[in-house]
Amino acid sequence: MDLQVFRALLSDEGQSLLAALGEAGPGGEPDSAATATLRRSGPALVAAAEEQVRLRGLAAAKFGTYASRMYFTPDMVELSSHLAVAEYKLDRVREMGVVLVEPMFLGSGADALVLGREYYALAVDPDPLTAAMAVANEQALNGRSDPSLIAACEDIAAFGGRGEADFIDLMRPPGPDGGHDPESYDPPLSWALEQVRTTGLGWIRLAPGLVPGAVPDLGRADEAEWISYDGEVQELVLWFGLYGTPEPVTVRRATLLPTGASLTARGLPEPSVRPAGRYVYVPDPAVVRAGLVAEVVEDIAGGPVDGGGTLLTSDELRHTPFATAYEVIDVPAHAPEPAGSVEFVIAAADGATALTAVPVPVPARIPQAP
């Protein structure tokens, strides 16, 4: 879809078309009134409306009921984090004490839109369609006729210096080899780092699965935060200006939403592997990506399972918000697997073995380690 077709979608005809197709749902049969509307509309507009209905359905998992009023491209849906992630980051931005902010590279626009709820936001993107969608989505998400978000299509490299904090979205699809090279982005990560360091406040949003070393020294950020939602890691955020004075070493943090449980590095040595005990634990992927498995090992008084990858174990049950606990059970030969059981494959020198375990009920409140 190009900018001209998108503007047609915003017209009365386009809105009628979206409403008619939305009521039928993706792949549904439109009623007679909707069919008449489809016949009156051009093929490009109909195709764009059908695509929006499909994308809105996919985006509902991240944006809830807002998705039915928003506009997306396929990349926006794929690369967006859950709306709760943007709202969580807004809570942290409040600590910075800023008024005028600059979101750059809008992606889905979720971060810029949420920032626009409380700040004057000068949002820019080099793609005119993305910028236009951000303007339309502002009304859908925040419901304001006089928004504090100003979204424009501009050359990013020539922009900046007008706000008190920069928020740069460098979340990108993986390359042809399935990997990410932030220095190959346009502009590259090095430019984004220089931009935020010059301002002194803000963050850079990146794909969470970057290989170690893809961001040397974690960009010398105050904090590198891996954020997950419902057990799925969403993004890596490099924070600048959180603590007033630069940190000598970047703090690594894992935050789990929607609970809000947060874990930071404690400078622990790499734990020793051990055989599986009575309980095994699957750490949240944000914990693994942040390199904080040793911290969880200390909390459960256990260790990594020898040959179990990131699987952890302990002899006594220790609840933690940062890992899902299972109790290992014996299943007699030829007996059916218990309902809800999970099988973990453990590598060993003499061949792989399997552990059968059942989830441990989670208490209403799990205390966090200090």
Side-chain angles (χ1 to χ4, degrees):
M1 178 171 58
D2 59 23
L3 184 59
Q4 182 177 356
V5 174
F6 175 65
R7 286 173 174 162
L9 264 185
L10 299 179
S11 68
D12 290 342
E13 179 186 3
Q15 293 300 293
S16 297
L17 194 55
L18 280 172
L21 292 172
E23 290 179 4
E29 287 295 329
D31 58 23
S32 57
T35 301
T37 302
L38 287 169
R39 289 171 177 167
R40 290 195 303 268
S41 302
L45 185 58
V46 171
E50 290 175 336
E51 178 73 344
Q52 281 306 301
V53 171
R54 184 184 72 85
L55 293 175
R56 285 172 171 181
L58 296 174
K62 297 179 177 181
F63 292 89
T65 56
Y66 291 114
S68 65
R69 306 192 300 273
M70 296 176 69
Y71 300 91
F72 302 94
T73 65
D75 278 351
M76 286 180 180
V77 175
E78 178 186 353
L79 301 178
S80 292
S81 292
H82 196 281
L83 182 60
V85 176
E87 292 172 336
Y88 161 77
K89 289 188 292 185
L90 173 63
D91 287 339
R92 300 205 72 186
V93 171
R94 291 189 182 106
E95 303 169 12
M96 294 182 174
V98 296
V99 176
L100 180 63
V101 300
E102 293 176 339
M104 302 182 191
F105 292 108
L106 301 180
S108 68
D111 286 318
L113 296 172
V114 169
L115 287 167
R117 291 176 180 174
E118 298 191 18
Y119 301 98
Y120 291 104
L122 303 176
V124 291
D125 194 282
D127 176 48
L129 178 60
T130 299
M133 284 186 171
V135 173
N137 287 342
E138 163 71 12
Q139 181 67 31
L141 195 64
N142 294 339
R144 284 201 291 259
S145 58
D146 183 22
S148 57
L149 171 68
I150 300 173
C153 174
E154 291 196 28
D155 177 8
I156 298 290
F159 186 80
R162 309 176 204 177
E164 299 170 275
D166 287 330
F167 303 98
I168 303 177
D169 191 335
L170 288 188
M171 181 78 80
R172 298 290 185 271
D177 60 352
H180 292 269
D181 177 13
E183 274 306 296
S184 69
Y185 299 161
D186 182 20
L189 173 61
S190 55
W191 174 88
L193 288 169
E194 183 63 26
Q195 183 74 30
V196 180
R197 287 173 187 153
T198 299
T199 306
L201 295 169
W203 50 245
I204 299 172
R205 177 178 182 257
L206 292 162
L210 296 177
V211 298
V215 185
D217 299 321
L218 291 174
R220 302 198 313 275
D222 290 342
E223 188 175 291
E225 182 176 24
W226 284 260
I227 305 173
S228 68
Y229 186 88
D230 269 351
E232 182 177 348
V233 65
Q234 303 277 306
E235 58 187 55
L236 162 62
V237 184
L238 302 179
W239 290 92
F240 296 81
L242 280 178
Y243 306 119
T245 57
E247 291 292 300
V249 177
T250 299
V251 175
R252 286 178 290 115
R253 179 185 296 273
T255 297
L256 284 54
L257 299 176
T259 65
S262 198
L263 181 68
T264 55
R266 301 197 284 263
L268 300 176
E270 184 175 347
S272 300
V273 298
R274 51 156 289 178
R278 180 177 176 182
Y279 297 95
V280 292
Y281 305 78
V282 178
D284 187 273
V287 169
V288 177
R289 292 291 186 184
L292 301 177
V293 170
E295 282 69 16
V296 178
V297 164
E298 183 179 66
D299 293 347
I300 65 172
V305 176
D306 190 8
T310 60
L311 190 67
L312 311 179
T313 188
S314 70
D315 297 316
E316 296 182 2
L317 178 61
R318 300 285 185 92
H319 287 290
T320 170
F322 305 107
T324 302
Y326 298 83
E327 184 177 7
V328 178
I329 59 173
D330 290 323
V331 180
H334 309 298
E337 295 285 343
S341 63
V342 178
E343 188 173 88
F344 298 99
V345 178
I346 310 300
D350 55 351
T353 60
L355 296 176
T356 301
V358 292
V360 175
V362 180
R365 184 179 182 277
I366 302 176
Q368 283 199 74

